[in-house]
Amino acid sequence: MPLPKHLVRSRIDTPLGPMTAAASPLGLVGLWFDDQRHGPAAELVEGWSLAPDHPVLVRTREQLAAYFDEASGAFDLPLDLSHGTPFQRSVWQALLALPYGATCSYGAVAERLQAPQAVRAVAAAIGRNPIGIVVPCHRVLGANGALTGYAGGLHRKAALLQLEARAH
């Protein structure tokens, strides 16, 4: 499902590069690095109202800062994941259950969803995760523990895992 045309947005600077955060009346809809694959089209983002003082976007900025400062690994934000397919939403919900500092394989996520044959579909849904870092797709590794796939770039995935390993 496409993202709506009427969202609010804000820019957030992080140690891994600038991000765009977007919110709907229900909560955080997206958090994307500027050069991220599968992010929204620039024309769509430019149509969203700039609202850096929006409460959800302020909380997102504060909680991301705490995460990168290794002060907190927990996010307590209202999330609006309604713009994915039912299968994508189930995968994203499974990611939210991954503990801070832990990792698992794509196959393990498929097993949790009782769809062990759907590893590729799980990987595709993870790649389309609209709320990077907060919905921790970076914690999912290849079956052999290798860093595989991350829409924000493998260098960022490695950095996020290193940050969590230090703080854990």
Side-chain angles (χ1 to χ4, degrees), residues 7 45 49 117-118 141-142:
L7 296 176
V45 173
S49 299
Q117 72 287 3
L141 306 174

Side-chain angles (χ1 to χ4, degrees), residues 73-74 94-104 112 136 138-140 161 164 168:
L95 296 177
L96 289 168
L98 295 176
Y100 179 81
T103 60
C104 73
R112 285 187 189 144
H138 60 276
R139 296 181 189 151
V140 183
L161 292 172
E164 292 187 12
H168 187 60

